[in-house]
Amino acid sequence: MTKVITYGTFDLFHEGHYRLLQRAKELGDYLIVGVTTESFDKARGKLNVVDPLMTRIENVRKTGFADKIIIEEVQGQKFSDIKKYGIDIFAIGSDWRGKFDYLKEYCKVVYLERTKDVSSTMLREKMRHIQRIGVIGTGRITNRFMPEATRVSGVNHQGVYNPHKASAERLAKDWGIQAYDTVEELFDDVDLVYVAAPHQYHYDYVKAALEHGKHVLCEKPMVLQKAQAEELYALAAKKNLVLMEGIKTCYCPCFHKLLGIVMSGRIGTVRNIEACFTKLENPESRELTDRRFGGSFRELGSYVLMPILKIFGLDYEDIRFESIDDENGIDQFTKVSLRYKNGFATATCGLGVKSDGRLLISGTTGYIVVPAPWWLMSYFEIHREDPNDIERFSEPYLDSGLRYEISEFLHRLDEHPESQEKSLSDQESIALAGLMEKFNEVHPPKVDAAEEEKGTKA
Ligand code: C2G
């Protein structure tokens, strides 16, 4: 008798789960299904799980494929289950490809293709159906986004668009999704759109997606002009759609904790904020060669300004930008100084410069320091006058951290606009676009007419 085992959360049970179990069962004679407990999902960073364990077990049972159902409670259990039940085959979806190769020493490991189209027909009685995501752009960030989206319950990758079809096809092949010829065809097949194209194309894609009635999560900087941001948020509101800017740090649990602590007055009244983000980037990269849209501020400015706007607000009295440029006029290093009625702030960003990427918030009774890299925040300290008086806080920040913004995006779809308070509000996102625009005014790109023409046509 060939014994097969598979595991999953099986939340909002859908066709992808059904087909996975069906094919796992076909691999042998006896199928064991491990269903994850809430606490295990929490520990492994699976977010937004809706159904309680008993409902998830019942849905697996109803398929009739499982000969035995067990619960998965702890890390390392797969290995002991394989031994305990004398398993011949471990089966799991292809989104986990390579991740369970270590089990090959004990049994055969089979990665089954994920189901591409997950319709909601099996979920008629459920509150929320599986949201199909379409991705625009296939760069580094998209490659991080794809695995992170599988860690959030209630979403499923559907397809990808890139005007360079070959790149879209590559990503589509890796993820068993569809590469679309036009962006309109992608919109027709999805509920949500993730825009991760180069910044200068964001406005057009976001606008088109909203006009097609799709919710949009757009990478930072969403747009480079305030009026464009205002227009897009107004359009989203008019169409009752969610539009959210993806500055990942502001959606992570540790940042929420930090903000709560600052706002509750634990370090007194805040007087100074310093945020720094620098990166040694490849000199050939788009960020360091694109005279119109490259440079450290456009690339990293959203991160360093975000905590300043969250804590001090949008009403600064004065702002000054200072940059060190390369011979093409691309800023390698930029410092933004903001003066508020009762406080100061400095946002520093650099490409090709390395500094201590920390966030420092100084108040009248103490200061908070988030060590580098603060934008991947999982720990911070409160210091007071007595050098021994240090309070330490930590919260998980898993992998690239994009799962938190995806989770927040779904939360807003469920009509929880109040969550803007602790992450990023529309007004703050509009203000960030305004600061991008201001930077452009004081630091106009050094481009000749031919390049200008090429840029607008691209
Ligand atoms: N699945 C699929 N097609 C989809 C969605 C999911 O084939 N469109 C598969 C997954 O690859 C997985 C199974 O269905 O093999 C269960 O998926 P989830 O409930 O999302 O569970 P997961 O987080 O993948 O947990 O220990 C837990 C396991 O490691 C897997």
Side-chain angles (χ1 to χ4, degrees):
M1 179 161 84
T2 305
K3 281 187 166 181
V4 184
I5 198 162
T6 190
Y7 295 86
T9 304
F10 303 106
D11 187 34
L12 301 168
F13 199 88
H14 58 65
E15 283 165 22
H17 299 141
Y18 184 89
R19 293 208 54 238
L20 188 287
L21 294 176
Q22 185 177 40
R23 286 170 298 156
K25 172 75 179 186
E26 284 165 8
L27 290 173
D29 309 299
Y30 189 84
L31 176 67
I32 302 180
V33 181
V35 182
T36 56
T37 60
E38 273 94 5
S39 62
F40 181 53
D41 275 332
K42 202 158 173 241
R44 74 189 183 108
K46 179 99 180 186
L47 305 178
N48 280 36
V49 176
V50 176
D51 292 333
L53 178 61
M54 290 322 285
T55 309
R56 293 183 284 115
I57 290 176
E58 185 54 19
N59 286 337
V60 169
R61 196 193 58 74
K62 276 199 273 187
T63 64
F65 297 128
D67 296 289
K68 184 177 179 68
I69 299 176
I70 58 173
I71 57 170
E72 187 182 23
E73 297 178 89
V74 285
Q75 213 72 259
Q77 189 182 319
K78 290 185 176 76
F79 163 78
S80 51
D81 287 343
I82 287 168
K83 289 244 171 231
K84 180 169 160 193
Y85 297 108
I87 297 298
D88 303 290
I89 303 174
F90 169 88
I92 197 99
S94 55
D95 46 311
W96 292 98
R97 202 183 297 285
K99 296 277 180 353
F100 291 107
D101 286 358
Y102 68 91
L103 295 172
K104 282 184 180 164
E105 226 179 283
Y106 313 100
C107 67
K108 193 170 164 196
V109 173
V110 175
Y111 296 102
L112 296 164
E113 281 312 310
R114 264 173 83 82
T115 301
K116 186 170 58 185
D117 292 308
V118 172
S119 86
S120 51
T121 50
M122 299 186 67
L123 296 157
R124 250 190 290 269
E125 74 282 14
K126 295 277 187 279
M127 284 149 39
R128 166 148 63 70
H129 80 117
I130 305 297
Q131 303 287 338
R132 298 160 303 163
I133 306 185
V135 173
I136 299 178
T138 51
R140 253 179 323 190
I141 187 81
T142 304
N143 282 299
R144 290 186 195 138
F145 181 89
M146 300 300 280
E148 287 285 306
T150 68
R151 307 294 181 260
V152 184
S153 191
V155 290
N156 194 55
H157 308 112
Q158 174 70 28
V160 52
Y161 171 77
N162 186 324
H164 307 287
K165 183 90 195 275
S167 324
E169 276 167 350
R170 258 196 310 275
L171 188 93
K173 189 161 168 278
D174 286 351
W175 285 92
I177 58 173
Q178 191 172 340
Y180 288 83
D181 288 326
T182 66
V183 76
E184 289 76 20
E185 286 170 283
L186 172 86
F187 295 153
D188 286 343
D189 278 359
V190 302
D191 305 297
L192 324 172
V193 177
Y194 174 58
V195 178
H199 332 311
Q200 63 268 37
Y201 309 119
H202 287 180
Y203 170 77
D204 287 337
Y205 284 133
V206 172
K207 188 168 176 187
L210 292 172
E211 277 168 349
H212 271 78
K214 306 300 162 186
H215 305 285
V216 183
L217 170 60
C218 180
E219 263 310 313
K220 53 85 211 157
M222 185 172 80
V223 285
L224 304 171
Q225 287 171 34
K226 190 174 180 200
Q228 290 183 337
E230 284 169 338
E231 180 196 336
L232 294 176
Y233 281 108
L235 179 60
K238 188 170 136 211
K239 295 194 147 247
N240 205 17
L241 294 167
V242 174
L243 169 62
M244 200 176 100
E245 182 173 2
I247 304 175
K248 63 181 180 187
T249 314
C250 65
Y251 304 105
C252 76
C254 200
F255 184 69
H256 294 168
K257 178 164 264 178
L258 178 145
L259 212 54
I261 285 177
V262 172
M263 295 313 179
S264 68
R266 283 272 272 281
I267 56 165
T269 308
V270 178
R271 294 289 189 226
N272 190 48
I273 304 174
E274 291 170 26
C276 176
F277 189 159
T278 59
K279 194 156 112 186
L280 290 178
E281 191 59 82
N282 173 2
E284 306 302 318
S285 64
R286 173 187 57 77
E287 292 84 347
L288 282 175
T289 53
D290 184 340
R291 295 188 205 205
R292 297 181 80 239
F293 300 106
S296 67
F297 184 71
R298 288 186 195 90
E299 193 54 29
L300 303 172
S302 318
Y303 283 111
V304 285
L305 289 167
M306 182 277 291
I308 298 171
L309 298 190
K310 286 271 16 146
I311 295 169
F312 275 153
L314 310 183
D315 298 324
Y316 53 85
E317 293 184 335
D318 190 31
I319 186 162
R320 217 176 53 237
F321 294 90
E322 283 168 299
S323 297
I324 297 173
D325 296 346
D326 69 2
E327 60 286 1
N328 295 315
I330 299 172
D331 71 297
Q332 308 280 298
F333 191 67
T334 289
K335 231 179 218 304
V336 190
S337 310
L338 294 108
R339 208 192 59 230
Y340 285 81
K341 190 157 179 271
N342 288 308
F344 303 118
T346 320
T348 307
C349 41
L351 296 173
V353 175
K354 197 64 202 167
S355 184
D356 182 10
R358 68 175 182 169
L359 171 66
L360 180 65
I361 304 165
S362 314
T364 49
T365 62
Y367 68 87
I368 291 179
V369 64
V370 190
W374 73 266
W375 53 94
L376 309 179
M377 192 182 295
S378 61
Y379 174 80
F380 62 91
E381 293 171 355
I382 299 185
H383 291 246
R384 299 201 174 76
E385 184 58 24
D386 174 358
N388 297 315
D389 180 9
I390 304 174
E391 277 185 276
R392 297 178 169 84
F393 300 85
S394 57
E395 286 289 329
Y397 187 96
L398 292 158
D399 298 321
S400 67
L402 287 164
R403 68 188 65 184
Y404 306 112
E405 80 182 37
I406 302 171
S407 163
E408 164 73 14
F409 187 51
L410 292 193
H411 192 60
R412 291 190 190 185
L413 291 185
D414 286 342
E415 296 183 17
H416 291 288
E418 77 287 352
S419 61
Q420 293 201 7
E421 288 280 313
K422 59 177 180 148
S423 54
L424 191 74
S425 70
D426 298 355
Q427 287 314 315
E428 285 155 353
S429 171
I430 291 169
L432 284 168
L435 289 168
M436 289 287 151
E437 184 173 347
K438 251 193 174 65
F439 175 73
N440 214 50
E441 280 163 20
V442 296
H443 188 278
K446 263 197 205 163
V447 283
D448 54 30
E451 262 181 298
E452 184 72 33
E453 175 79 351
K454 200 171 119 218
T456 26
K457 283 200 177 136

